[in-house]
């Protein structure tokens, strides 16, 4: 379908910055032209029109760290110490989760993400062939990197799951879905297995990927203070130089790794992140809720490290709301550093869009509004009391707007939400299904 | 009007905790009974019904620190150091604000507050007789404590304004509006003036107030690290023991003082807050945005100090959203303390309701859902993907719900918003008026 969106304001996330009274021309899944309404209107006379003249149009937001299936457990356990939370609450119930539970949770996340202007989600969970997160994202029309999480204790299973995931989903659904290899963490994946996964990723890439469409890694790194200790205890290896430095000794680090959290870093760690061009998925809400700490984001940015933003799962957040993550990111690093000029609204918006795309090694196709990119857009309605008056649209997006202000979302050129109505999935039926799935899960876990 | 609200879940903010399948009977401005639907339905047959059986009903949220008029400057200046922000941006434009600008900004805040489930706002600004914040709140049907901010440089003016404010508004509009005396801060109000204001408050109270309806103080305390220094520079007096300790030497501290911020406190300060039963208005979003720091809230709570929550103004937040403040409060103190059990959802909900009422010395009338209290309620619609599934409603209110999930609001027994439609004010006209007011203000400030 060809579309012409006539916009009041476009936040391009390119060097052009903010454009006013401009239009975006879309053909099939791509943006073909961005320019003055008066220029584009005669040129795309036959395109279907979307009137966004009182609205603000952004690149779809990119959530670089999530476990989509876990929305099924939203609010199941909060305000507990990490050990009790994981060992007594989360892990025991997760044991009972089936493929169809994973699908239900991921579909809920997909709907919630789209309703909040998020068009791409990077998710790490257990891949099962019959029902899985990729299927849920494809159903909802959400773009995603879907991984399979790997642990030392199930190498054989992981190998099969990774093969099935990559063969079946990588680059599928008109390029909407990509697969990733997800070593859980440096303390749950032993050194040999980590190296094996690197080799296996090369194998899978040779078969199913291309340089434009890489199979990336998505892994937790330096989330908690005791991670070096955990590595030392698990593998009898020193990790004194830092968690990233330890991983570097294994020769597994590449530029297309999404390192989630990076809260507790040594100086050496930061240097390696920079040199090896790793990407960081900053998840401040989760880091606060689990009391993990605060990632040194201003320092990472000064070193030139690419930092994207993520919600983390709905067990540690408890929502998939990137507007909240933007606001908390802008606030937190001012408060912690004592410098109110740190992380401006504009910079945070870049982190949630183009830098998020770079974080997922997907910036050739998404993350900004410019000709040649995929048409992934969020249209925000500013006719709300809490968005009045308007002095600066970028400030409003970060500091005043809410996910509920997003009224229309386009992914891969397709309108997946219009006037807050999801076009791809029956939302009421999904909510009912989720409640039923929850009840059955609790029943099984008794 | 008599109302019977049939509720799925009531979060009472009393010792009864959460009640299910219960109803709230309202007569005129008061809650007269709370109990099982099956018991109350025959008893209140003639009351108008509100069906909230799929919804969650809370006490209206209480915003204990705001400058309502400043919503007119929302997003006018961000991401600047405090000195530039205040001296180059905020103060120069505020100089040009007229009474009708103040009214327009406060009306916008009132609408935004109601739409986010907030039923009481404590606001500090300049009182002008012709147009003012009290008038705006009364128009919107919002409950509020409206103050006049006092500075050493305008003692005579302040005295007149306080007299006019208290006489005209204290206890008016069926008890919806109360007046307060607002010494700006310990470094802008000299010691003699501070004492004078205490004496003058007694005078005003004798004339216009009662023990049930006190004229409280609302003041900034220990917001920034350099406040002791500022006091010393301004008045050549040592404030080494702490800002609260300094105020105590003036013999002006009473239990009905709202001390906003309390970020930088000495041990002695905390002891005095406790002994003198001062109330703290915690405004974490503002404290982060302006890089002021983080208030030691867990310690204050352990000492038994009453802590309410506030947004602060839309220049330093930039919204009047108490749902955001609840979530940030629950997150921040976990992250800062390193203890994920600090400030549970339940505790934060109390801070936003009954403890907020205590903070404003108004808890005899508001802050909880029980017979005898004024009917101030927020009804939250849980039929949303981001609020599914439901394990724990209190967790969802703090960690997952948004202000936009509030669908009906009752203040003083009156339905002021129904299905997100404001009943008291024309919202579109107000938004248009706000934009016009902004344009005129910028024109005058040129």
């Amino acid at each position: 379908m060809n579309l012409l969106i006539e916009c009041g304001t476009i936040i391009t996330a390119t060097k052009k910055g903010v454009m006013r009274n401009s239009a975006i021309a879309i053909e099939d899944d791509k943006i073909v032209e961005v320019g003055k309404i008066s220029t584009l209107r005669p040129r795309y006379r036959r395109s279907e029109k979307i009137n966004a003249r009182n609205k603000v149009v952004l690149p779809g937001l990119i959530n670089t760290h999530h476990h989509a299936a876990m929305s099924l457990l939203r609010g199941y356990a909060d305000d507990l110490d990490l050990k009790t939370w994981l060992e007594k609450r989360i892990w025991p119930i997760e044991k009972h989760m089936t493929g169809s539970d994973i699908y239900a949770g991921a579909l809920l996340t997909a709907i919630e993400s789209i309703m909040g202007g998020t068009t791409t989600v990077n998710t790490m969970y257990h891949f099962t062939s019959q029902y899985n997160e990729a299927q849920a994202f494809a159903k909802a029309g959400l773009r995603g990197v879907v991984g399979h999480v790997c642990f030392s204790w199930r190498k054989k299973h992981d190998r099969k799951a990774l093969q099935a995931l990559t063969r079946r989903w990588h680059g599928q659904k008109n390029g909407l879905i990509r697969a990733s290899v997800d070593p859980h963490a440096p303390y749950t994946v032993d050194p040999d297995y980590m190296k094996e996964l690197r080799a296996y990723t090369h194998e899978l890439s040779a078969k199913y990927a291309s340089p434009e469409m890489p199979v990336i890694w998505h892994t937790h790194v330096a989330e908690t203070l005791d991670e070096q200790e955990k590595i030392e205890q698990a593998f009898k290896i020193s990790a004194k130089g830092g968690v990233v430095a330890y991983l570097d000794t294994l020769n597994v680090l590449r530029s297309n790794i999404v390192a989630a959290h990076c809260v507790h870093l040594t100086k050496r760690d930061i240097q390696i992140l920079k040199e090896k061009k790793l990407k960081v998925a900053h998840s401040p809400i989760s880091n606060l809720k689990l009391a993990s700490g605060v990632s040194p984001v201003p320092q990472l940015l000064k070193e030139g490290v690419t930092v994207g933003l993520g919600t983390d799962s709905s067990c540690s957040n408890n929502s998939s709301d990137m507007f909240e993550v933007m606001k908390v990111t802008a606030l937190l690093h001012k408060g912690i550093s004592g410098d109110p000029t740190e992380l401006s609204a504009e910079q945070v918006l870049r982190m949630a869009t183009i830098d998020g795309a770079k974080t997922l090694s997907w910036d050739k196709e998404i993350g900004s509004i410019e000709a040649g990119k995929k048409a992934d857009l969020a249209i925000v309605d500013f006719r709300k009391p809490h968005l009045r008056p308007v002095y600066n649209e970028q400030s409003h997006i970060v500091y005043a707007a809410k996910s509920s202000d997003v009224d229309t979302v386009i992914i891969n050129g397709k309108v997946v939400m219009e006037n807050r109505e999801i076009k791809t999935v029956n939302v009421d039926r999904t909510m009912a299904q989720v409640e039923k799935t929850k009840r059955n899960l609790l029943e099984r876990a008794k």
Side-chain angles (χ1 to χ4, degrees), chain A residues 234-246:
Chain A
F235 313 127
K236 317 292 166 211
I237 290 176
S238 165
K240 239 184 250 161
V243 172
V244 183
Y246 156 73

Side-chain angles (χ1 to χ4, degrees), chain A residues 301-341:
Chain A
L301 294 174
K302 264 157 218 154
E303 294 289 338
V305 176
T306 299
V307 181
L309 301 179
T311 58
D312 206 344
S313 90
S314 294
C315 288
S316 62
N317 181 313
N318 301 343
S319 68
S320 306
D321 187 333
M322 287 292 290
F323 279 83
E324 277 184 10
V325 173
M326 285 196 286
K327 184 161 182 173
V328 169
T329 300
L331 295 173
L332 183 62
H333 298 288
K334 291 176 172 62
I336 295 297
S337 68
D339 179 356
T341 69

Side-chain angles (χ1 to χ4, degrees), chain A residues 100-111:
Chain A
S100 68
D101 294 349
I102 291 172
Y103 177 81
L107 189 59
L108 186 69
T109 297
I111 293 171

Side-chain angles (χ1 to χ4, degrees), chain A residues 186 194 219-223 227-228 231 238-254 257 259-280 300 305:
Chain A
M194 200 66 93
T219 184
H220 297 104
V221 175
E223 181 174 2
E227 199 157 312
Q228 287 168 242
I231 293 167
S238 165
K240 239 184 250 161
V243 172
V244 183
Y246 156 73
L247 287 171
D248 194 38
T249 64
L250 307 178
N251 191 24
V252 294
L253 299 183
R254 303 291 183 274
I257 293 180
H261 303 304
C262 292
V263 174
H264 299 282
L265 299 171
T266 63
K267 271 189 196 169
R268 179 93 193 94
D269 284 340
I270 294 176
Q271 279 314 304
I272 295 166
L273 285 174
K274 183 183 168 176
E275 281 161 24
K276 302 273 163 143
K277 296 188 165 55
L278 266 72
K279 310 303 191 289
V280 173
L300 291 172
V305 176

Side-chain angles (χ1 to χ4, degrees), chain A residues 186-213:
Chain A
Y187 59 93
T188 48
V189 173
D190 63 75
D192 286 343
Y193 191 32
M194 200 66 93
K195 291 178 204 165
E196 236 176 84
L197 283 172
R198 176 48 70 209
Y200 194 50
T201 305
H202 285 304
E203 239 178 78
L204 290 169
S205 296
K207 265 195 205 163
Y208 305 110
S210 65
E212 294 74 39
M213 197 196 289

Side-chain angles (χ1 to χ4, degrees), chain A residues 154-165:
Chain A
R154 60 173 196 194
K155 296 185 187 184
K156 255 193 205 160
H157 167 82
D158 287 344
R159 206 175 166 96
K160 274 186 210 158
L162 287 172
Q163 157 81 12
L165 165 63

